[in-house]
Amino acid sequence: MKLSKFIKKAGMMITSLALVSSLAACSPTTRGGENVTSSLKEGDLIGISMPTKADQRWNVDGGNLVKELEAAGFKTQLAYANNSPSQQSTDINNLVSSGAKAIVVASVDGTAVGPAVQQAKDEGATVIAYDRLIMNTEAVDYYVTFDLERTGILEAETIIEKLDLENGGGKDTPYNIALFAGSDDDNNAPYFFKGAWDLLQPYFESGQLVDPSGIVTKDFKLEDWKKISVHAWDQTQAQKQMDAIMTKLGDQPLAAVLSPYDAISLGVMKSIKNARPDMSPSIPFDATNPTNKSAWPVITGQDGMDIAITNIYYGAQAQTVYKNVSLLAEQTTNIIKEISEGKTPSSDKEPMNNGKKDVPTWLMQSDELVKEPTGDQKGLDYVVETGFITEEQYQKNIKAPIIE
Ligand code: BGC
């Protein structure tokens, strides 16, 4: 890693520590003032509430959790909420009625799910927030996720490198960049954006980067992230937002798009194809010839979805931040196992505050996947190595046509 990158990374870690407050003692669960002790034991039912089947990763997450928990001697019940907050509350109520002694929740809307998990807690269930933090409630016991800012850091580093910003790229004629943040109801989204914005903002300050929509300027604040968010991480919505940016862009070149999720990247690509058929992934953005209007922008992503593997393979997407989600399922199972053995799970990481309490938190490490890896990056077939997809599916992905 370059020294400048190392210094930036170290700086980021300090900033992230400042984001969270110190560990509070785990408070016992209370119902009407009286303590409710978790009765979780081996063989019990564990309820799993996932947001949607429409996203590739949550299908893998659900399957992994069932597999790990059952191998550890628990029963499981898995529900998908079709991206509907009210459906998710119903799912959680049903899981608890079925006798779940712990519930693992990847929330659709981190705040809306509060009352349902409170009810689960009142019934004595342990509540584990999975990947996405459950907000503004005391009723969440543990949180397992990935290092959130790292997503944005890896995305921004790719943009900085490909645009040669450290060596003055964009100094003569500013480079156009479009920026997207994740869903406004997902607590992960501002952390992803923070990781990226801390690194990209100085290039807005120096005038090397400009947002053609005019929404993001050097004075854009982290708190403003919802102005560029994509509700429900929705591809069609992303495409609409990109259409508006493309209108402002007109016939100028576009150097990069900061996208926090592979499906958003796909919506972005479709919009570019419609608005500017002259732009083609076969002419990748080249910092030595940045005024080429037909050059395809550097587009980032997250999750290692099938479509991203295809698009990276053919040069339409520059990278994806891949989360080996089997690590989350293993950590979640460890927590549940420890509780069933009468132990108190403890993490050596800083807790995350959900607005009501400091929630004990475990952070996994994500990886950056690119076509030709260097340094710490991984190749595209890492998704097979880590069991996210099969070799057969991988072969299909790299033979599929791009941007359908
Ligand atoms: C997850 C990401 C995912 C996104 C959209 C986020 O909460 O952390 O991995 O890309 O949701 O599903």
Side-chain angles (χ1 to χ4, degrees):
M1 189 193 312
K2 284 192 206 149
L3 183 62
S4 60
K5 283 192 181 169
F6 174 76
I7 292 167
K8 274 180 198 154
K9 276 199 177 171
M12 288 300 311
M13 283 165 75
I14 292 162
T15 336
S16 11
L17 289 183
L19 261 185
V20 292
S21 38
S22 61
L23 179 58
C26 285
S27 49
T29 307
T30 56
R31 172 168 38 188
E34 115 217 16
N35 282 353
V36 178
T37 322
S38 170
S39 57
L40 181 61
K41 54 183 189 326
E42 196 183 326
D44 277 346
L45 179 68
I46 311 298
I48 305 163
S49 170
M50 290 284 120
T52 173
K53 277 195 167 176
D55 267 4
Q56 194 180 349
R57 75 156 282 190
W58 305 115
N59 292 283
V60 180
D61 287 273
N64 286 343
L65 281 163
V66 167
K67 195 178 85 196
E68 289 289 334
L69 285 163
E70 293 195 350
F74 297 94
K75 295 190 206 55
T76 59
Q77 196 171 315
L78 170 62
Y80 282 89
N82 198 20
N83 254 344
S84 151
S86 63
Q87 180 60 48
Q88 184 157 49
S89 298
T90 308
D91 288 347
I92 292 170
N93 291 342
N94 289 342
L95 292 168
V96 175
S97 311
S98 304
K101 293 288 184 288
I103 51 164
V104 179
V105 182
S107 51
V108 175
D109 178 324
T111 304
V113 79
V117 294
Q118 181 63 61
Q119 217 174 316
K121 194 90 202 108
D122 289 347
E123 296 300 326
T126 298
V127 177
I128 301 177
Y130 181 92
D131 195 86
R132 299 170 172 173
L133 188 53
I134 299 172
M135 305 303 292
N136 297 321
T137 174
E138 297 277 347
V140 50
D141 298 297
Y142 304 104
Y143 179 37
V144 290
T145 192
F146 284 84
D147 178 338
L148 299 171
E149 286 185 40
R150 183 174 158 85
T151 294
I153 292 172
L154 293 173
E155 291 164 348
E157 281 183 351
T158 290
I159 292 174
I160 290 167
E161 193 190 317
K162 299 249 182 224
L163 272 53
D164 206 21
L165 295 174
E166 285 180 350
N167 297 314
K171 274 245 152 82
D172 299 335
T173 312
Y175 290 162
N176 287 307
I177 180 171
L179 297 102
F180 291 84
S183 187
D184 50 344
D185 53 6
D186 186 338
N187 183 60
N188 289 353
Y191 286 90
F192 297 154
F193 181 65
K194 178 181 182 341
W197 184 238
D198 282 348
L199 295 183
L200 294 177
Q201 192 279 341
Y203 298 107
F204 276 81
E205 188 84 47
S206 66
Q208 289 165 267
L209 291 179
V210 286
D211 166 14
S213 78
I215 297 173
V216 180
T217 66
K218 68 177 174 43
D219 300 320
F220 194 77
K221 298 273 168 294
L222 278 175
E223 308 85 84
D224 295 332
W225 69 275
K226 288 188 182 170
K227 291 185 182 158
I228 54 165
S229 65
V230 178
H231 183 65
W233 303 90
D234 183 61
Q235 181 189 316
T236 314
Q237 175 58 28
Q239 186 170 345
K240 273 193 207 142
Q241 289 175 215
M242 189 65 188
D243 286 347
I245 298 175
M246 292 307 288
T247 303
K248 289 273 173 67
L249 183 77
D251 67 353
Q252 303 172 70
L254 178 63
V257 180
L258 173 76
S259 161
Y261 170 46
D262 294 336
I264 292 180
S265 319
L266 187 61
V268 161
M269 288 177 208
K270 289 186 171 177
S271 171
I272 296 173
K273 281 276 261 185
N274 290 338
R276 290 286 298 277
D278 61 310
M279 290 185 176
S280 160
S282 61
I283 316 165
F285 174 85
D286 176 358
T288 63
N289 183 19
T291 51
N292 183 351
K293 290 184 177 176
S294 299
W296 189 257
V298 174
I299 303 174
T300 63
Q302 175 171 223
D303 275 0
M305 284 170 72
D306 286 336
I307 184 68
I309 299 302
T310 304
N311 286 333
I312 296 172
Y313 190 78
Y314 289 101
Q317 191 169 317
Q319 55 95 262
T320 186
V321 179
Y322 171 67
K323 293 153 149 184
N324 177 5
V325 292
S326 63
L327 300 175
L328 277 192
E330 280 166 26
Q331 186 54 58
T332 305
T333 304
N334 281 345
I335 291 172
I336 291 173
K337 221 166 160 265
E338 283 189 2
I339 300 170
S340 74
E341 289 162 358
K343 298 179 191 150
T344 304
S346 87
S347 165
D348 56 4
K349 295 283 188 291
E350 288 287 318
M352 281 187 70
N353 191 279
N354 75 345
K356 273 275 160 60
K357 70 180 281 200
D358 286 330
V359 184
T361 298
W362 283 258
L363 296 179
M364 311 296 132
Q365 174 99 346
S366 51
D367 294 287
E368 180 172 37
L369 308 190
V370 294
K371 188 167 180 197
E372 279 150 20
T374 57
D376 293 341
Q377 295 169 326
K378 303 269 195 248
L380 296 176
D381 54 0
Y382 193 58
V383 287
V384 179
E385 200 184 305
T386 49
F388 190 63
I389 58 169
T390 60
E391 174 66 27
E392 196 191 347
Q393 181 61 41
Y394 179 75
Q395 290 301 329
K396 274 191 200 155
N397 294 344
I398 61 173
K399 282 175 194 132
I402 51 166
I403 335 171
E404 288 176 282

